[in-house]
Amino acid sequence: MSATITQPQANRPPTCVSSGGVSGLTAAQAQNARVIAATASQRAGHQGAFIALMVALAESDLRVLTNPNDPAGDIYANQGTGYDHDSLGLFQQRPGWGSAARRMDPAESTNLFVDALLRQGGWGTMPPWTAAQLVQRSAFTGRPTAANGGSTVMGGNYQRQAPRAAALLAAIEADSSALDCGGAPADALSPGGAGTHGLPNGYTLPEQTSPAGRIAVSFALAQLGKPYLWGGNGPDRFDCSGLTQQAWSRAGVTIGRVVSQQLRNGHVTSVAQLAPGDLVMIPGADGTIAAPGHVGMFIGRGLVVHAPRTGDVIRVVAFSSFVSKGLSGLRHIG
């Protein structure tokens, strides 16, 4: 098992994708499944990845399909031909979804699907096949017709793929637990103190910490020692942006899931005005000053808590070491 970084279009975060065979799939299907799982989980978590895999299984059997009714897709790599209206790709998306280039690209077509999924209010609490149906608008509306074989289940075509999707996602997530993508450079791993996981003995939150900041920092520090996992959103494993998102959610504040989104949350602050709970963005191992790949949370007293990288655990480091290779942004959240 190895990993690759897919380079996104503008405003898309890079995605860390595992590679290798998956039982019961061709090599092309396996890699498509891995791209779908990695892309969807980074933006919509485990549940989003499950729904996306379920849909792609139902719509294309995890194959990028061309269609004679839309020959614009013929110039792109594919694994077969479909004939559903003028639909293309893994998710059988029609022209209204985007260009043929985007619909025929596994990562971009997944992003298009996730865009639509995230627009469905409360999607995460629905039966997953219901959420899938709201996005895809297939013939399986819950009303029995000849077109859906008399099904009374909304999204019944997707529900039938649920066991297979769950098994595939479990296998892919097991592989992904060893991925070494993104994360902080070695320079950012210097401990902040001699206490547990770098938290200095006797540390206390600064008195001026806001109530929301106090909750966010307290949650982040309660995770010290938990392993890093690319795409991890808790409760047992986190990546860098998963930790900061979950910390602020405990304070009732919603921020983006990935670093590129968090870079636009809250408002700009300065080193002199940093407050506990503020986000500190750095290039990380795979990003740049302009497009940071790593984030930590300032906890006061010149310290940052973060989930560093594969093989490490959540720890506290000195702010000075954290930004030693460059500072991309500082965001005051609440």
Side-chain angles (χ1 to χ4, degrees):
M1 190 275 293
S2 60
T4 58
I5 296 286
T6 65
Q7 293 305 316
Q9 293 194 4
N11 299 320
R12 297 286 195 200
T15 302
C16 187
V17 184
S18 60
S19 61
V22 177
S23 179
L25 301 181
T26 67
Q29 286 175 310
Q31 197 56 30
N32 288 338
R34 290 181 182 278
V35 170
I36 290 169
T39 305
S41 65
Q42 189 178 30
R43 299 182 58 206
H46 173 90
Q47 185 77 340
F50 172 61
I51 294 170
L53 281 170
M54 194 169 53
V55 168
L57 282 164
E59 295 291 348
S60 68
D61 196 27
L62 296 173
R63 297 175 298 152
V64 177
L65 299 178
T66 61
N67 192 320
N69 297 315
D70 188 352
D74 293 349
I75 64 173
Y76 301 101
N78 66 84
Q79 293 97 45
T81 303
Y83 300 92
D84 181 14
H85 299 285
D86 47 6
S87 303
L88 295 175
L90 288 167
F91 296 91
Q92 290 294 276
Q93 293 159 329
R94 301 189 70 180
W97 284 81
S99 67
R102 299 183 74 185
R103 291 179 287 147
M104 291 292 288
D105 179 86
E108 267 305 299
S109 61
T110 303
N111 272 314
L112 291 172
F113 176 82
V114 173
D115 287 342
L117 178 65
L118 296 178
R119 287 195 292 268
Q120 307 301 320
W123 68 270
T125 61
M126 302 175 188
W129 37 89
T130 299
Q133 172 63 20
L134 291 176
V135 172
Q136 294 293 111
R137 301 181 184 179
S138 75
F140 287 74
T141 61
R143 297 185 295 274
T145 65
N148 60 34
S151 174
T152 60
V153 178
M154 186 175 181
N157 52 333
Y158 307 120
Q159 183 188 44
R160 287 199 293 268
Q161 299 296 333
R164 192 178 177 200
L168 287 176
L169 186 55
I172 293 169
E173 287 181 336
D175 284 348
S176 299
S177 65
L179 289 183
D180 190 10
C181 298
D187 307 72
L189 301 182
S190 301
T196 303
H197 303 297
L199 185 68
N201 293 322
Y203 164 86
T204 57
L205 270 164
E207 291 183 5
Q208 70 273 22
T209 303
S210 70
R214 188 172 294 275
I215 293 171
V217 170
S218 296
F219 175 86
L221 293 179
Q223 314 314 309
L224 289 176
K226 291 186 178 180
Y228 175 98
L229 173 65
W230 176 275
N233 212 36
D236 300 319
R237 296 169 181 263
F238 295 85
D239 66 10
C240 64
S241 54
L243 176 64
T244 51
Q245 184 199 46
Q246 289 302 309
W248 272 109
S249 74
R250 297 312 189 280
V253 178
T254 299
I255 62 175
R257 173 60 185 85
V258 296
V259 179
S260 61
Q261 296 167 335
Q262 294 181 8
L263 185 60
R264 300 190 296 272
N265 294 143
H267 61 262
V268 175
T269 188
S270 67
V271 173
Q273 295 179 319
L274 273 175
D278 288 352
L279 304 185
V280 184
M281 283 80 173
I282 62 173
D286 299 297
T288 65
I289 291 291
H294 193 70
V295 62
M297 176 179 287
F298 185 69
I299 64 170
R301 311 197 188 285
L303 301 170
V304 171
V305 61
H306 71 140
R309 59 185 307 117
T310 300
D312 209 329
V313 298
I314 296 171
R315 61 169 63 212
V316 172
V317 299
F319 176 84
S320 58
S321 72
F322 191 73
V323 302
S324 63
K325 292 296 184 180
L327 175 61
S328 296
L330 300 170
R331 307 296 295 189
H332 180 71
I333 302 301

